[in-house]
Amino acid sequence: MKKILIITFALISTLSHSQERDFEKPNYKKIKKNIKKKNSNLYYNSLMTRFRNSDSTMNLKEKRHLYYGYTFNKDYAPYSGSNYRDSITPLLDKEKLDSLDLTKCIEFADAMLLHNPFDLNAMNYKSYALEQMGNITDYKKLYHQAITIYDAIFSSGNGKSRKEAFYVIEISHEYKVLNVLGFQWGGSQSKIESYDYLTLAENEWEIEGLYFDVSPALSVLSDMFD
């Protein structure tokens, strides 16, 4: 399988319709406080259970607390990778996967998601395998999980400037945002304070690049070297 099919979504372009959308930067201090309230709908354990159950009734506030709240989880490690990623690589190099390969792909992807529930690469691998196996029920469940993540990200900004940056909790999510919006990476990535700036290949909107706030990941990186 030379190319992984990216999950596609019926999304209105955040960039071309930015004037019609209200964006809100995540208030990490407030989110940290809210997700600790056990009797609240924002209690983190409850949110994660709903997410793993592919609950499509979560509202935007709950999705934002789930996604950005993960930065306060003891397992939040944006720069660590799963050993199962190496196991799945040989499968991805195949032109075509048989039923056993597809089953293994799902098993490895599930292991990656157990390590990191917001691993969008693992979701892509698993969605491809589920689609090829005709397992539409589980494919739709995975779809709702991915939508939850993207809804949170797209609520934070449009990426056109540092003031309107997308807020992400992992560097890899920057590139997935490009995929979903239909852009191709222009080949250059630069760090500007707490922001990442990715250049874009030529596109019909004539947008040169997008900004991403990656402050939680940078904070983890800083702690690693303290």
Side-chain angles (χ1 to χ4, degrees), residues 11-42:
L11 296 175
I12 297 175
S13 172
T14 305
L15 297 165
S16 62
H17 296 81
S18 60
Q19 70 277 12
E20 301 174 9
R21 299 174 62 92
D22 294 324
F23 302 115
E24 181 182 358
K25 300 177 182 179
N27 184 328
Y28 286 104
K29 184 177 181 180
K30 188 174 182 179
I31 290 173
K32 182 179 181 180
K33 180 180 179 180
N34 289 341
I35 61 176
K36 293 180 179 179
K37 300 176 181 178
K38 292 186 177 181
N39 295 323
S40 167
N41 65 312
L42 301 178

Side-chain angles (χ1 to χ4, degrees), residues 24-28 31 63-64 66-72 76-79 116 118 120 148-159 161-162 164-181 189 191 194-198 210-220:
E24 181 182 358
K25 300 177 182 179
N27 184 328
Y28 286 104
I31 290 173
K63 293 176 181 179
R64 287 169 56 87
L66 170 77
Y67 179 69
Y68 296 113
Y70 190 65
T71 60
F72 303 107
Y76 175 59
Y79 295 101
N116 176 5
F118 301 128
L120 291 170
T148 295
I149 297 171
Y150 285 113
D151 276 350
I153 295 173
F154 287 129
S155 74
S156 67
N158 58 27
S161 66
R162 279 184 279 182
E164 301 172 300
F166 290 116
Y167 280 68
V168 295
I169 64 174
E170 294 185 22
I171 304 299
S172 63
H173 290 179
E174 299 174 2
Y175 296 90
K176 292 297 176 286
V177 167
L178 299 191
N179 293 145
V180 170
L181 292 177
Q189 176 186 18
K191 192 80 64 183
S194 64
Y195 301 91
D196 263 352
Y197 178 73
L198 300 186
L210 295 178
Y211 290 88
F212 297 84
D213 182 288
V214 291
S215 48
L218 293 179
S219 179
V220 170

Side-chain angles (χ1 to χ4, degrees), residues 112-127:
M112 293 167 67
L113 290 169
L114 187 62
H115 172 77
N116 176 5
F118 301 128
D119 190 329
L120 291 170
N121 284 315
M123 288 186 177
N124 286 336
Y125 306 151
K126 184 176 179 178
S127 68

Side-chain angles (χ1 to χ4, degrees), residues 69-220:
Y70 190 65
T71 60
F72 303 107
N73 190 292
K74 62 180 178 60
D75 295 324
Y76 175 59
Y79 295 101
S80 67
S82 169
N83 294 331
Y84 290 96
R85 190 179 302 277
D86 294 333
S87 299
I88 206 170
T89 299
L91 297 176
L92 306 182
D93 289 335
K94 291 187 176 183
E95 291 288 348
K96 186 176 181 180
L97 277 63
D98 59 28
S99 59
L100 180 58
D101 291 329
L102 293 171
T103 298
K104 288 182 178 179
C105 186
I106 292 175
E107 290 176 353
F108 293 146
D110 280 340
M112 293 167 67
L113 290 169
L114 187 62
H115 172 77
N116 176 5
F118 301 128
D119 190 329
L120 291 170
N121 284 315
M123 288 186 177
N124 286 336
Y125 306 151
K126 184 176 179 178
S127 68
Y128 174 85
L130 291 171
E131 185 180 39
Q132 294 300 303
M133 297 176 74
N135 189 339
I136 304 303
T137 299
D138 286 344
Y139 179 90
K140 288 182 178 180
K141 289 180 179 179
L142 191 62
Y143 171 89
H144 287 304
Q145 290 183 350
I147 282 290
T148 295
I149 297 171
Y150 285 113
D151 276 350
I153 295 173
F154 287 129
S155 74
S156 67
N158 58 27
K160 295 171 68 175
S161 66
R162 279 184 279 182
K163 185 178 179 180
E164 301 172 300
F166 290 116
Y167 280 68
V168 295
I169 64 174
E170 294 185 22
I171 304 299
S172 63
H173 290 179
E174 299 174 2
Y175 296 90
K176 292 297 176 286
V177 167
L178 299 191
N179 293 145
V180 170
L181 292 177
F183 293 119
Q184 293 184 346
W185 182 40
S188 176
Q189 176 186 18
S190 55
K191 192 80 64 183
I192 306 173
E193 297 177 351
S194 64
Y195 301 91
D196 263 352
Y197 178 73
L198 300 186
T199 59
L200 301 179
E202 185 177 348
N203 58 83
E204 61 181 293
W205 293 281
E206 298 183 348
I207 298 173
E208 295 182 357
L210 295 178
Y211 290 88
F212 297 84
D213 182 288
V214 291
S215 48
L218 293 179
S219 179
V220 170

